[in-house]
Amino acid sequence: MSNGAKPKGGIEPLASPLLARDAKRVGMASSWGSFLQDEQQLEELARQAVDRALAEGVLLRTTQEPSSSNVVSYAPFTLFPSLVPSALLEQAYAVQMDFNLLVDAVSQNAAFLEQTLSSTIKRDTFTARLFDIYKQVLKEGIAQTVFLGLNRSDYMFQRNADGSPALKQIEINTISASFGGLASRTPAVHRHVLNVLGKTKEAARILSNNPSKGLALGIAKAWELYGSAKALVLLIAQEKERNVFDQRAIENELLARNIRVIRRRFEDVSEKGSLDQDRKLFLDGQEIAVVYFRDGYMPSQYNQQNWEARLLLERSCSVKCPDIATQLAGTKKVQQELSRVGVLEVLLPDQPEAVARLRATFAGLYSLDLGEEGDQAIAEALAAPNRFVLKPQREGGGNNLYGEEMVQTLERLKDSEERASYILMEKIEPEPFGNCLLRPGCPVRVVQCISELGIFGVYVRQGKTLVMNKHVGHLLRTKATEHADGGVVAGVAVLDNPYPV
Ligand code: ADP
Ligand code: MG
């Protein structure tokens, strides 16, 4: 998801030429580091990896070109898969259905959303605008009867006090969760790299992964339950979308099931969209069964016309993915309130096991609402800035504040209501390791990295009945440790695969 955020500074070479001992020095998994003899071999391996990535369709449109362009390059990726403890991978998969249930429960709980977001919407105009639409839809009555969630819960790994590795949630994405398409194509690239090195046994251990298929099956189920054979899926796309092949993977899966998808912008909806007396949505005269948003998650993506289009879509009986309540359920403020003692128990009554699994993944999250609790959180962050991250209600990478920037912002906001538009989070400190980040036009070198694991989840609800609740695959993204924030399209993180150990 691009918001034009720029990586802060370049990556310094750590070892040149790269030898096994250098790789070891930067903590590259000793197995990978010891495969490499010299820098020449590294560069040849990188060339082969890039060619395979291009051949597999691990692609982004280049920044300079318009959305109709056929000028592409490879999406950045790591040369080697990164080691991930199998137990954490299993834990992340096991808790995904719980997160699906939780998001669905929050989205249906108007009192909880209203109470949780009340302080935030006073000062955050974007969240307030979304909330406004939510209120309008509630007042008119929700027309849709089928609900579809396609989300991705993201984690980092941190050591517990006893040295065992722990899974800590960074956030859950309930709108436009991306890279399910490209993530199905990167395993072949990493297998290729290991095969080139003669490591066939290791290559075979790289997990197959096909999130876009699972996401498409969710859309297909929602389409089927909507119950009109001629109706289409509408993908709300950005004007200039670099990550189009990721989206096409889902479209292709739908087409293979004889479900037609049209790509349109908010502008097209406002010009040509309409509702009939039953609030069925029509665009260009065609009925829309499912609206899948790959746009609309950040303020810059809306003008007045787009807000009106969003309202029209929300009022319709089409299945929105996500509906406005589910988008609000994915805000950082909601994440913070969910971590409060007793809240999960209220939202998921009689499900103590799910509650325990969910809570085990929570990092420290702190409200900054005016009052004693918020004052205390701010005092702690000012006393130890390196232990915290300050987060506004934004998506897409590049919005969080760290270190000195966080301190300055907290000093400025300390006595103002505006501080309630942020939350404070414990900073997760994964152990760095060495890997090569391959980017078009950048030299190949080993750098210190950390990874973030995402698990894709899908659920479909018809009225009160949950008819689908699944995990459908994973995404590993890796970035150099010098970058505090993330984002692949933002130019910081790159695609990776977990190598389970
Ligand atoms: P966004 O909605 O912009 O993706 P995130 O909460 O995912 O917001 O934060 C963006 C990036 O910042 C993450 O991908 C991660 O690299 C980093 N980050 C976020 N929260 C933390 C945290 N608590 N500890 C360490 N890094 C974090
Ligand atoms: Mg994120």
Side-chain angles (χ1 to χ4, degrees):
M1 299 190 288
S2 170
N3 66 347
K6 298 279 181 309
K8 294 169 190 133
I11 297 167
E12 286 307 308
L14 281 175
S16 180
L18 182 100
L19 296 169
R21 64 162 194 281
D22 297 317
K24 209 165 175 187
R25 187 167 59 79
V26 298
M28 177 178 268
S30 51
S31 46
W32 303 158
S34 62
F35 295 169
L36 298 164
Q37 301 309 313
D38 54 30
E39 184 141 303
Q40 251 172 349
Q41 190 200 7
L42 178 71
E43 281 176 5
E44 171 55 24
L45 195 60
R47 267 194 295 276
Q48 293 217 27
V50 166
D51 284 350
R52 185 68 193 247
L54 290 165
E56 290 293 332
V58 184
L59 301 174
L60 292 176
R61 281 208 168 101
T62 63
T63 14
Q64 297 82 9
E65 305 296 327
S67 57
S68 58
S69 148
N70 56 11
V71 181
V72 298
S73 193
Y74 63 92
F77 65 98
T78 57
L79 180 57
F80 293 104
S82 295
L83 311 196
V84 172
S86 309
L88 298 192
L89 203 56
E90 281 164 26
Q91 186 190 351
Y93 266 104
V95 76
Q96 187 55 43
M97 280 84 80
D98 303 324
F99 271 114
N100 293 345
L101 283 181
L102 180 61
V103 169
D104 191 38
V106 171
S107 78
Q108 294 176 77
N109 194 326
F112 176 77
L113 279 174
E114 175 130 34
Q115 197 192 351
T116 298
L117 295 171
S118 62
S119 57
T120 306
I121 59 179
K122 278 193 204 146
R123 286 303 170 131
D124 187 83
T125 45
F126 180 63
T127 312
R129 205 89 201 240
L130 294 172
F131 196 79
D132 221 42
I133 292 181
Y134 174 53
K135 294 292 282 185
Q136 287 186 62
V137 172
L138 278 185
K139 198 167 161 212
E140 189 180 15
I142 299 171
Q144 80 186 83
T145 55
V146 178
F147 297 82
L148 165 66
L150 303 180
N151 61 51
R152 198 190 70 220
S153 182
D154 291 338
Y155 308 89
M156 283 183 174
F157 319 122
Q158 183 171 262
R159 289 217 177 270
N160 290 318
D162 67 0
S164 60
L167 186 74
K168 290 293 159 198
Q169 188 185 45
I170 296 294
E171 64 156 346
I172 189 157
N173 302 280
T174 60
I175 180 166
S176 300
S178 56
F179 290 108
L182 297 192
S184 65
R185 297 159 186 203
T186 54
V189 180
H190 280 154
R191 285 185 199 122
H192 182 98
V193 166
L194 296 179
N195 282 330
V196 167
L197 291 168
K199 302 292 168 187
T200 49
K201 260 202 335 251
E202 286 82 355
R205 290 193 55 192
I206 294 179
L207 306 168
S208 292
N209 189 29
N210 198 350
S212 49
K213 183 172 178 192
L215 299 173
L217 286 173
I219 297 175
K221 188 72 192 168
W223 176 87
E224 180 196 316
L225 293 174
Y226 179 87
S228 170
K230 277 187 293 190
L232 312 180
V233 172
L234 166 64
L235 187 153
I236 300 291
Q238 293 178 38
E239 168 92 68
K240 288 187 179 159
E241 179 57 77
R242 295 186 62 208
N243 198 17
V244 62
F245 307 106
D246 187 55
Q247 303 175 358
R248 290 290 194 200
I250 297 173
E251 292 177 45
N252 298 344
E253 292 282 352
L254 288 168
L255 200 58
R257 288 166 181 78
N258 290 326
I259 299 172
R260 283 179 53 216
V261 185
I262 52 171
R263 296 174 65 88
R264 296 287 187 276
R265 299 162 310 148
F266 277 122
E267 282 80 356
D268 301 312
V269 173
S270 80
E271 280 162 22
K272 296 176 195 150
S274 62
L275 304 186
D276 74 2
Q277 69 275 19
D278 301 324
R279 284 198 266 162
K280 285 186 183 143
L281 174 67
F282 289 85
L283 193 64
D284 294 329
Q286 291 171 301
E287 186 176 354
I288 305 297
V290 180
V291 181
Y292 174 43
F293 290 101
R294 293 295 293 252
D295 192 10
Y297 49 85
M298 54 171 76
S300 61
Q301 295 165 339
Y302 287 95
N303 53 25
Q304 184 53 31
Q305 199 187 9
N306 293 6
W307 281 118
E308 281 161 20
R310 180 72 194 263
L311 177 62
L312 184 87
L313 297 173
E314 292 303 324
R315 292 183 55 230
S316 78
C317 67
S318 306
V319 185
K320 270 78 62 183
C321 180
D323 67 333
I324 196 93
T326 307
Q327 180 170 0
L328 289 168
T331 53
K332 274 115 185 140
K333 183 64 193 174
V334 166
Q335 180 187 6
Q336 172 259 302
E337 282 299 309
L338 290 174
S339 76
R340 215 179 262 288
V341 177
V343 171
L344 289 182
E345 286 80 355
V346 171
L347 289 164
L348 298 175
D350 311 320
Q351 301 192 60
E353 284 162 7
V355 166
R357 280 191 297 266
L358 289 162
R359 194 179 305 289
T361 69
F362 288 175
L365 288 148
Y366 310 94
S367 166
L368 294 182
D369 288 3
L370 284 175
E372 211 175 300
E373 185 190 345
D375 290 346
Q376 167 115 27
I378 290 176
E380 280 179 32
L382 291 175
N386 292 335
R387 289 183 29 224
F388 296 92
V389 185
L390 182 62
K391 297 191 173 188
Q393 309 306 310
R394 293 290 173 274
E395 302 293 328
N399 300 298
N400 300 334
L401 300 165
Y402 305 82
E404 188 49 36
E405 244 185 321
M406 176 184 79
V407 169
Q408 280 171 16
T409 308
L410 284 176
E411 293 284 6
R412 182 170 58 79
L413 298 177
K414 225 165 37 180
D415 303 314
S416 133
E417 258 190 344
E418 198 186 334
R419 72 188 212 188
S421 63
Y422 292 81
I423 62 145
L424 195 67
M425 185 172 180
E426 168 197 357
K427 191 167 174 219
I428 309 305
E429 298 281 4
E431 245 165 62
F433 54 87
N435 205 332
C436 297
L437 310 184
L438 303 179
R439 283 203 175 84
C442 294
V444 182
R445 50 202 171 184
V446 175
V447 293
Q448 296 265 17
C449 300
I450 54 174
S451 295
E452 185 170 344
L453 173 71
I455 305 292
F456 289 95
V458 177
Y459 63 88
V460 178
R461 174 167 52 84
Q462 185 172 36
K464 292 277 160 210
T465 313
L466 202 64
V467 292
M468 184 186 282
N469 183 12
K470 301 203 285 197
H471 52 65
V472 298
H474 56 267
L475 167 72
L476 194 73
R477 291 172 299 167
T478 293
K479 65 177 184 179
T481 46
E482 74 197 61
H483 296 296
D485 228 71
V488 174
V489 180
V492 175
V494 309
L495 302 175
D496 197 349
N497 279 289
Y499 186 84
V501 286

